[in-house]
Amino acid sequence: LAVQPSATGNGIDIYFGLVVRNARCTGYPAAPLQNGELMTGRIVKLSWTFGSQGSGAISEQWVRDLEPTTSDPGGYGVVGLYVDDLFPNGTPQPQEELVATTLGGDVFVYSPSGTLLFRTVVPGSAGLYNSIMAMDLNQDGCKELYISGSMGLHRFIQPMEEL
């Protein structure tokens, strides 16, 4: 679960992860499933717009299924969510991206509108749990993304940043 103030300032954005049955399971066992096809991770973004006296409206903004690939049969078991302004856009209003991690070692970064910006996998990982942080530790003006998993601490830098 990750929560942040909405861009409009009159509510909150709520992100949560699920594990859902893959659509291809309906034909099983007639159609053999590949690794990772039984269950799929899903990320949902909701927006709660505040009303008077604690009321308001909750609306679904987007849903993304984390589909497995041939090289990465994971894509399931969302275990970490983190929201931060990873790629500053130069405006007073931050555009905060969502980082999602999975039990299979996947790392996904989504824009506020749900566009996939980045995906990778940490090989050999037995899960990238909720140990996610973004900070400019080397003070070069660009935030680095730090994710801890079973294989140690991983640092991801932005394309314009030097090692």
Side-chain angles (χ1 to χ4, degrees), residues 65-81:
D65 286 342
L66 310 180
E67 293 297 332
T69 64
T70 309
S71 61
D72 173 25
Y76 61 93
V78 177
V79 293
L81 294 170

Side-chain angles (χ1 to χ4, degrees), residues 78-89:
V78 177
V79 293
L81 294 170
Y82 178 80
V83 179
D84 202 338
D85 189 13
L86 299 176
F87 309 109
N89 56 5

Side-chain angles (χ1 to χ4, degrees), residues 133-144 146 161:
M133 180 183 80
M135 290 189 76
D136 183 13
L137 293 180
N138 61 2
Q139 299 180 350
D140 66 352
C142 298
K143 288 184 180 179
E144 298 86 37
Y146 297 91
E161 190 174 3

Side-chain angles (χ1 to χ4, degrees), residues 89-149:
N89 56 5
T91 66
Q93 180 64 44
Q95 179 177 335
E96 297 186 331
E97 290 79 23
L98 172 72
V99 178
T101 59
T102 72
L103 187 59
D106 302 284
V107 179
F108 299 86
V109 178
Y110 288 95
S111 72
S113 65
T115 301
L116 181 63
L117 302 174
F118 175 78
R119 178 182 182 175
T120 191
V121 64
V122 176
S125 179
L128 296 172
Y129 294 93
N130 225 359
S131 300
I132 308 166
M133 180 183 80
M135 290 189 76
D136 183 13
L137 293 180
N138 61 2
Q139 299 180 350
D140 66 352
C142 298
K143 288 184 180 179
E144 298 86 37
L145 180 62
Y146 297 91
I147 300 175
S148 178

